[in-house]
């Protein structure tokens, strides 16, 4: 790999490629070492970390759908203290940038968690706001601009790391949400989180998932993610991390043309654990064929 073509810097973080492993699909990075050369991974976005350990949801958690996958894992994770003591040292051995995905149930908890994660070895935080606000009757932070801004501001106050806000697509106007978190101090925006969906077993006449509804990911949501990246890129002045349905190097090119600075591969890692490596190699060949000297040249160059 000719690193010079794909090497990039995202929020001040040097990366070998603009392609990351998306949260919830790439574990903590080291799980993928048997499957691909890690030099192709721009950064690892960790599985979601919460203040306390979580067992996750009961019942069926994953269901395959046409061109996609539903999941309702329920943020199963060992909690921030275990992560810092046991997992972070192992991730650091990979010498790959680490972005920690974090979730909480109140504005105060988000701030406290951000402070605990403000340590060496963590390069940035990706804030999952597709969570219910327990103090406000269960409203999802990511569907209310004021709540999203409050979380952003709390995290910003408690960390010196770049703050990436991961926005939910389950809103009326994504640009309004993006502008709200930008004004509150976000360093960057991650687009998009999963789309709410469900599946039904017609034999039992019951929902397939134990949680009834779940988050839809995979190629089925790519057109939605692409549209939202394009909209937000025109509405804010901070970098965008494009996520949602990416499975080929052509998908990466589309996201970058629409305005994404970097991208993350999610559900497709389950289909092909070598996906990031294959996508990076294909992206490099595309640049060479098109006589593009650096991948950043195509960002936001979509023609009307």
């Amino acid at each position: 790999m000719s690193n010079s073509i794909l090497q990039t810097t995202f929020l001040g973080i040097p990366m070998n490629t603009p392609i990351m492993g998306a949260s919830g699909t790439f574990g903590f990075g080291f799980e993928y070492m048997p499957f691909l050369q890690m030099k192709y991974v721009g950064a690892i976005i960790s599985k979601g970390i919460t203040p306390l350990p979580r067992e996750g949801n009961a019942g069926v958690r994953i269901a395959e759908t046409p061109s996609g996958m539903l999941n309702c894992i329920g943020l199963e994770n060992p909690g921030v203290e275990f992560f810092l003591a046991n997992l972070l040292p192992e991730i650091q051995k990979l010498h790959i940038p680490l972005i920690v995905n974090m979730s909480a149930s109140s504005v105060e908890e988000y701030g406290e968690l951000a402070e605990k994660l403000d340590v060496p070895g963590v390069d940035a935080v990706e804030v999952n706001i597709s969570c219910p606000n327990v103090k406000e009757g269960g409203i999802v932070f990511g569907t209310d601009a004021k709540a999203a801004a409050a979380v952003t501001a709390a995290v910003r106050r408690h960390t010196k790391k770049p703050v990436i806000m991961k926005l939910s697509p389950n809103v009326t106007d994504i640009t309004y949400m993006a502008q709200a978190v930008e004004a509150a101090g976000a360093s960057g925006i991650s687009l998009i989180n999963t789309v709410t969906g469900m599946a039904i077993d017609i034999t039992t006449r019951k929902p397939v998932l134990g949680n009834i509804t779940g988050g839809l990911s995979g190629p089925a949501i790519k057109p939605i993610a692409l549209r939202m990246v394009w909209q937000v890129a025109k509405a804010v002045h901070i970098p965008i991390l494009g996520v949602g349905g990416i499975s080929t190097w052509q998908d990466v090119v589309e996201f970058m043309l629409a305005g994404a600075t970097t991208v993350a591969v999610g559900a497709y890692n389950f289909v092909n654990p070598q996906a990031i490596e294959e996508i990076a190699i294909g992206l490099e060949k595309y640049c060479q064929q098109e006589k593009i000297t650096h991948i950043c040249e195509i960002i936001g160059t979509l023609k009307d």
Side-chain angles (χ1 to χ4, degrees):
M1 182 176 73
S2 174
N3 279 345
S4 59
I5 295 178
L6 298 186
Q7 275 184 341
T8 191
T9 300
F10 181 61
L11 301 175
I13 307 165
M15 298 181 181
N16 279 342
T17 77
I19 309 161
M20 311 182 203
S23 176
T25 68
F26 208 67
F28 294 103
F30 45 75
E31 298 93 334
Y32 276 77
M33 287 186 68
F35 304 105
L36 78 165
Q37 296 181 71
M38 299 300 283
K39 67 180 181 180
Y40 291 101
V41 180
I44 296 160
I45 306 177
S46 77
K47 185 172 173 55
I49 297 296
T50 54
L52 297 173
R54 289 178 60 106
E55 293 184 357
N57 293 323
V60 175
R61 298 182 178 191
I62 293 178
E64 190 173 350
T65 62
S67 297
M69 180 184 81
L70 286 166
N71 90 85
C72 59
I73 305 301
L75 298 174
E76 179 187 353
N77 78 97
V80 67
E81 302 298 344
F82 183 93
F83 169 77
L84 292 172
N86 300 282
L87 298 176
L88 182 57
E90 295 302 310
I91 300 170
Q92 287 179 286
K93 293 176 184 177
L94 300 176
H95 302 291
I96 295 171
L98 171 66
I99 298 170
V100 177
N101 182 283
M102 52 174 278
S103 298
S105 56
S106 70
V107 172
E108 295 78 10
E109 274 193 355
Y110 272 107
E112 292 165 4
L113 184 55
E115 189 169 348
K116 288 183 178 180
L117 291 168
D118 192 9
V119 296
V122 174
D123 294 283
V125 290
E126 180 186 59
V127 186
N128 177 8
I129 51 175
S130 297
C131 308
N133 184 345
V134 294
K135 289 190 175 181
E136 298 294 336
I139 185 172
V140 174
F141 288 104
T143 60
D144 179 271
K146 288 184 179 178
V151 171
T152 307
V155 173
R156 180 71 286 160
R157 284 194 303 271
H158 288 83
T159 183
K160 296 182 289 293
K161 310 290 183 182
V163 176
I164 305 164
M165 301 304 295
K166 189 166 189 178
L167 301 188
S168 168
N170 304 305
V171 295
T172 304
D173 186 349
I174 193 66
T175 60
Y176 183 58
M177 300 299 298
Q179 289 169 335
V181 299
E182 179 184 36
S187 312
I189 293 173
S190 178
L191 290 167
I192 58 175
N193 211 327
T194 54
V195 178
T196 304
M198 70 181 294
I200 295 172
D201 185 323
I202 62 171
T203 303
T204 62
R205 301 189 183 187
K206 293 181 178 180
V208 173
L209 295 175
N211 205 47
I212 302 179
T213 62
L216 177 66
S217 58
I221 73 166
K222 180 192 148 192
I224 300 171
L226 204 55
R227 182 261 297 178
M228 290 190 170
V229 165
W230 172 72
Q231 286 181 305
V232 170
K234 296 190 297 180
V236 302
H237 302 91
I238 52 179
I240 296 170
L241 164 58
V243 196
I246 294 172
S247 58
T248 67
W249 65 262
Q250 291 95 332
D251 294 335
V252 174
V253 173
E254 286 188 64
F255 271 86
M256 297 186 85
L257 289 174
T261 301
T262 54
V263 299
V265 178
Y268 196 67
N269 287 314
F270 299 137
V271 178
N272 177 10
Q274 204 172 10
I276 292 177
E277 178 176 337
E278 293 178 2
I279 290 170
I281 292 170
L283 192 60
E284 182 184 32
K285 289 179 179 177
Y286 162 78
C287 289
Q288 291 169 340
Q289 289 169 0
E290 296 296 315
K291 295 182 170 53
I292 295 166
T293 57
H294 194 274
I295 190 63
C296 69
E297 293 173 18
I298 72 169
I299 297 170
T301 59
L302 184 70
K303 299 176 181 178
D304 294 333

